[in-house]
């Protein structure tokens, strides 16, 4: 594969939880303003890899790593980068929707406000909710709790909350696994819109979803990166036997 300078990259990355190595010597490049899917069986290391991209693993006491994780060419673990500011640039949406218990509007404005946002908050709320394809559904109840929304709406609110921090990258860790099919479709449509302005890396257990939303796919197995290529090639002509077996369902 060839593309311009990657926005995210790992070089010979190993990740350990205590003595257990959960990611093994992974080197991968994530191109800008594309969707990259990480697929593989449960426990293969894909969520751990995702969390290295914005240092979420730092919250795990027994975490350590070897190798490099680069954001726009800078090693995020060895530089003097301020971690809170860095996580603003690389946002994250989790598997289970986790809106704040406060109002829908406050879900959007809280992060920017504590980071010194000086713009018009009402305009920020509308802009972010529109980008998350949620404005028309909630514009008349912005003071209601975010927890009053449906699961799919809550997840889009969480995406809007991430957008409010003006990130360059949005990481998504199985964002549809707790949603019904209609809500899943809404999130997938949203991903197609968001990639015009953001780089997205998504962990998904749903291979059909990976095929629908991503341009690039990485297949991981037992902590190893088995194959990384264009999504159409991974799903139609994978080079590795393990990848073929997983794609056709031989793993059970």
């Amino acid at each position: 594969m060839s593309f311009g300078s990657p926005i995210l990259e790992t070089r010979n990355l190993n990740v350990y939880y205590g003595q257990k190595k959960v990611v093994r010597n992974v080197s991968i490049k994530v191109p800008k303003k594309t969707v990259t899917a990480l697929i593989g069986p449960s426990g293969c290391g894909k969520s751990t890899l995702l969390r290295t991209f914005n240092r979420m693993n730092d919250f795990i006491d027994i975490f350590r790593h070897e190798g490099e994780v680069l954001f726009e060419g800078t090693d995020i673990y060895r530089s003097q980068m301020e971690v809170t500011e860095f996580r603003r640039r690389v946002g994250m949406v989790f598997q289970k929707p986790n809106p704040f218990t406060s109002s829908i509007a406050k879900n959007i404005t809280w992060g920017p406000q504590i980071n010194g946002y000086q713009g018009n908050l009402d305009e920020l709320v509308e802009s972010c909710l529109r980008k998350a394809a949620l404005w028309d559904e909630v514009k008349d109840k912005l003071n209601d709790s975010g927890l009053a929304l449906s699961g799919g709406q809550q997840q889009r609110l969480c995406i809007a909350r991430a957008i409010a921090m003006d990130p360059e990258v949005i990481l998504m860790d199985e964002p549809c696994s707790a949603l019904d099919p209609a809500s899943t479709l809404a999130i997938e449509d949203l991903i197609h819109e968001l990639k015009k302005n953001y780089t997205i890396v998504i962990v998904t257990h749903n291979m059909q979803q990976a095929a629908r939303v991503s341009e690039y796919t990485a297949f991981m197995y037992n902590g190893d990166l088995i194959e990384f290529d264009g999504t159409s090639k991974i799903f139609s002509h994978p080079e590795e036997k393990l990848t073929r077996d997983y794609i056709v369902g031989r793993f059970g």
Side-chain angles (χ1 to χ4, degrees), residues 15-205:
V15 175
Y16 300 82
Y17 293 147
Q19 297 302 310
K20 184 178 181 181
K21 185 186 286 189
V22 291
V23 169
R24 304 168 183 273
N25 200 38
V26 168
S27 296
I28 190 171
K29 296 179 179 181
V30 176
K32 294 181 180 179
K33 293 185 179 178
T34 60
V35 181
T36 297
L38 307 180
I39 66 170
S42 296
C44 70
K46 54 189 185 293
S47 288
T48 297
L49 175 61
L50 186 79
R51 289 164 181 256
T52 64
F53 287 138
N54 72 341
R55 294 189 53 168
M56 287 296 292
N57 286 317
D58 290 11
F59 295 107
I60 301 173
D61 291 339
I62 58 174
F63 160 77
R64 65 183 177 90
H65 83 287
E66 300 165 345
E68 296 176 298
V69 182
L70 309 179
F71 175 69
E72 295 189 327
T74 298
D75 189 333
I76 66 174
Y77 285 94
R78 295 184 182 174
S79 72
Q80 299 303 309
M81 185 178 293
E82 205 282 312
V83 178
T84 301
E85 165 62 15
F86 168 65
R87 291 199 184 108
R88 182 196 65 75
R89 301 175 70 187
V90 183
M92 191 156 190
V93 176
F94 296 93
Q95 180 174 1
K96 185 177 179 180
N98 61 341
F100 302 147
T101 56
S102 52
S103 70
I104 292 169
K106 194 67 175 177
N107 267 269
I108 305 298
T109 61
W110 185 80
Q113 279 186 298
I114 65 171
N115 283 275
Y117 182 78
Q118 298 295 315
N120 185 298
L121 292 175
D122 291 338
E123 291 179 359
L124 177 69
V125 169
E126 180 173 350
S127 173
C128 294
L129 290 172
R130 284 191 182 279
K131 288 177 182 177
L134 191 56
W135 173 252
D136 288 340
E137 297 169 45
V138 303
K139 61 184 178 183
D140 297 323
K141 44 188 175 183
L142 297 177
N143 293 320
D144 292 357
S145 169
L147 297 177
L149 300 175
S150 70
Q153 289 174 323
Q154 287 186 23
Q155 194 65 295
R156 280 182 284 153
L157 178 60
C158 292
I159 293 171
R161 186 176 67 193
I163 291 171
M165 297 301 293
D166 193 27
E168 295 159 64
V169 179
I170 302 175
L171 308 176
M172 298 184 173
D173 193 358
E174 298 200 24
C176 301
S177 65
L179 304 181
D180 58 49
S183 297
T184 295
L185 180 60
I187 297 294
E188 290 181 2
D189 288 343
L190 176 55
I191 290 170
H192 283 294
E193 286 299 310
L194 291 176
K195 72 180 180 182
K196 298 173 183 176
N197 298 301
Y198 308 94
T199 302
I200 297 173
V201 185
I202 179 172
V203 166
T204 179
H205 65 281

Side-chain angles (χ1 to χ4, degrees), residues 191-247:
I191 290 170
H192 283 294
E193 286 299 310
L194 291 176
K195 72 180 180 182
K196 298 173 183 176
N197 298 301
Y198 308 94
T199 302
I200 297 173
V201 185
I202 179 172
V203 166
T204 179
H205 65 281
N206 184 326
M207 286 186 288
Q208 290 79 16
Q209 181 173 79
R212 287 191 296 263
V213 303
S214 68
E215 287 94 345
Y216 298 95
T217 294
F219 169 60
M220 296 186 68
Y221 181 73
N222 198 28
D224 295 310
L225 177 62
I226 304 300
E227 192 165 354
F228 176 52
D229 213 319
T231 295
S232 58
K233 185 175 186 299
I234 288 288
F235 282 94
S236 60
H237 302 291
E239 294 185 359
E240 301 295 329
K241 181 180 185 300
L242 265 176
T243 311
R244 290 196 297 273
D245 288 347
Y246 185 70
I247 296 298

